[in-house]
Amino acid sequence: MLSFAASGRAQLPEAPEPNTGISSADRASLESHASPLEAGPGFLVLDPVLPADGLQSASKQSPTAAAAQAKSEPDVPRDANGEPIPLERRQPKRILGFMPNFRTVSGGAKPPPPTWKNNFVIATHQATDYSTFIFLGLTSITAEGLNMHPALGKGVCGLYAYSWRGFLDKTDNTYLSAWLLPSLLREDTRYYALGAGRPIPIRALYVISRQGVARTYGGRQTPNIAGLGGKVLTQVVSRTYYPPSATSFTVLASKFGYSVMRDVIFSSIREFYPDIAAHYIRKHRDKVAREAAKTATP
């Protein structure tokens, strides 16, 4: 997979650069049907029901007026040119209002440059997020129930043994892969969403390829040494607090594979969620418009 960094440009498209190539008129048309998705914690925030006259006046807006109105809304994410990012490319801070999405960049957006401080803040935010502990509880209960490491025991004591070790595993991986190694190697390991406009198979392959490909601070593609190295080092460190029976090469390799698979699944959700959210938000808006039109009809 690391060899992809050298030849990946010819095989898969890179993540969208800040200038997405979408005209201002197209953006205005998109924004005239879009709502500011990041006004709340996630895409669950839908548009309020507008009165009939408000809907009629909005439908009569010119592209110029629509663009001006969108630019006046501070919550709408922008690209490098200050233009609103299309609905299908916007990444919320939380998916479904729950799943943290702090390290994903909207298609065409220009994120803050990675620094030691920024990387540490984001890693800490992700490691201590409330959803982390919910996920940790679910995985610990599952591991104890399946008796994945018999040496850790069963029951309450076994659950505790799985829980604190699982917390250390996840915390080590987060700080190593999102802060320490990226900062040392000057690698940007954030997920730059490819976004709508590409065939689904290409986007799926792009998601998988990001496990082996990252960006330099200068924006060039590079082997994802920080991301993969963080996972490897996490398993090495875990040998100090797991019993010998749980630290064999086979066990550590399976845990490494699970970590990669989990990242692919979560990155797939991040890549395709905006498309699904945009579809249902527009469907909701159309329904509201129809109901308002029926109410306004004498």
Side-chain angles (χ1 to χ4, degrees), residues 3-85:
S3 63
F4 179 83
S7 60
R9 297 177 187 270
Q11 298 178 19
L12 289 177
E14 294 186 38
E17 296 297 332
N19 184 0
T20 60
I22 300 175
S23 67
S24 298
D26 290 338
R27 295 179 197 276
S29 177
L30 283 168
E31 289 304 311
S32 66
H33 300 286
S35 61
L37 298 185
E38 296 187 351
F43 283 171
L44 288 179
V45 180
L46 299 176
D47 298 312
V49 178
L50 298 177
D53 55 346
L55 288 169
Q56 294 171 358
S57 61
S59 64
K60 295 179 181 178
Q61 275 188 319
S62 67
T64 303
Q69 180 181 0
K71 287 185 177 182
S72 67
E73 297 173 345
D75 291 323
V76 177
R78 312 285 171 175
D79 62 17
N81 299 320
E83 298 292 336
I85 293 176

Side-chain angles (χ1 to χ4, degrees), residues 206-230:
Y206 173 82
V207 169
I208 297 172
S209 73
R210 294 310 96 178
Q211 291 299 305
V213 182
R215 290 187 175 196
T216 64
Y217 279 14
R220 294 182 295 103
Q221 291 195 89
T222 185
N224 189 10
I225 298 175
L228 294 176

